[in-house]
Amino acid sequence: MAVELTNLCRQLRLAHIAEYVSAQQSEQLLQLVQELLVAELDGRRRAKLGKLVQQAGFPHLKTFEGYVTDHIVFPQGGSLDTLRQLEWLERKENLLLMGAVGTGNYRKNLVMERFSVAP
């Protein structure tokens, strides 16, 4: 087990932890420190992966699923279903999305754009 602890410390660049724990000669302490170091190593790997994915700039697919519509006021004859079905696009009508920052106008635009170009 001390070899495993030494390898973990080497991967995490912790120079003196393995030496200290080995000197204590406590199996419980050795097990606890190993579990902590494995958790730290896993956390670092997840953080690195998240950072790499963010830097890659993969597109985020937006959908209407989970979209809250309670705050939306549609003009007469309009509804969210009308937007989803893209009837306004077939009639070659313009669409004006108005609202405060953070109310989802950009999200609606992305969803409709994706569906309008889908085969």
Side-chain angles (χ1 to χ4, degrees), residues 15 45 58-59 68 74 85 89 96 106 108:
R45 285 180 183 151
F58 294 123
V68 179
F74 290 97
Q85 295 169 4
L89 188 61
L96 178 63
Y106 186 66
K108 284 183 279 192

Side-chain angles (χ1 to χ4, degrees), residues 57-90:
F58 294 123
H60 299 279
L61 294 178
K62 303 286 186 174
T63 65
F64 280 116
E65 190 174 315
Y67 187 76
V68 179
T69 59
D70 299 340
H71 64 284
I72 299 175
V73 178
F74 290 97
Q76 189 175 14
S79 69
L80 187 61
D81 289 330
T82 306
L83 290 178
R84 286 182 184 162
Q85 295 169 4
L86 302 173
E87 294 172 0
W88 57 274
L89 188 61
E90 293 170 2

Side-chain angles (χ1 to χ4, degrees), residues 12 19 22 28 41 45 55 64 72 87 89 92 100 104:
L12 293 168
E19 184 180 313
S22 296
Q28 288 179 327
L41 193 60
R45 285 180 183 151
Q55 287 176 346
F64 280 116
I72 299 175
E87 294 172 0
L89 188 61
K92 297 183 180 181

